[in-house]
């Protein structure tokens, strides 16, 4: 059974950084379109960022552009979401999953495959 595992969440102060990793059990994420999503308490899940299978294409939600970076860590066989300049509104449970394509990211979820993991909690607070 395909299963993705998110890790790297935690408590960080505003302005701080965290590095989230998405990995798979029993196989690598090479050649798969992967997206990061988040769900804040009381809100709908939203798209944060995605990367194409080749790594050549990336997209970001407007709310995280310039602060978050998605990339493939080939040595670790993971997809990383590097989050800098974190804000309180970034507080959420973050998930990764497969995507049919890496397109627009935001409130509407496009081309998302239903392989949600348990997520990793990011709390930005002083």
């Amino acid at each position: 059974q395909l299963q993705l595992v998110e890790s790297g969440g935690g408590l960080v102060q505003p302005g701080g950084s965290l590095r989230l990793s998405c990995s798979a059990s029993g196989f690598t994420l090479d050649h798969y379109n992967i997206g990061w999503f988040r769900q804040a308490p009381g809100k709908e899940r939203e798209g944060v960022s995605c990367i194409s299978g080749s790594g050549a294409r990336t997209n970001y939600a407007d709310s995280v552009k310039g602060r978050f970076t998605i990339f493939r860590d080939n040595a670790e066989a993971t997809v990383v979401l590097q989050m800098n300049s974190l804000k309180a509104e970034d507080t959420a449970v973050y998930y990764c999953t497969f995507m049919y394509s890496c397109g627009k990211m935001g409130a509407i979820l496009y081309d998302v495959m239903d392989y949600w993991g348990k997520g990793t909690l990011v709390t930005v607070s002083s």
Side-chain angles (χ1 to χ4, degrees), residues 12-83:
V12 63
Q13 292 186 341
S17 297
L18 279 176
R19 174 179 166 131
L20 305 184
S21 292
C22 175
S23 61
S25 177
F27 64 100
T28 69
L29 298 179
D30 295 352
H31 311 302
Y32 290 99
N33 302 312
I34 299 293
W36 278 98
F37 301 80
R38 67 186 181 186
Q39 188 164 15
K43 294 189 177 182
E44 297 292 321
R45 193 167 297 184
E46 63 176 358
V48 176
S49 181
C50 61
I51 187 166
S52 64
S54 67
R57 181 183 179 90
T58 59
N59 277 302
Y60 298 90
D62 289 341
S63 59
V64 306
K65 280 180 182 175
R67 300 188 298 122
F68 290 10
T69 303
I70 190 170
F71 60 93
R72 293 183 179 275
D73 184 335
N74 292 326
E76 297 292 331
T78 61
V79 172
V80 174
L81 184 68
Q82 177 67 43
M83 307 187 298

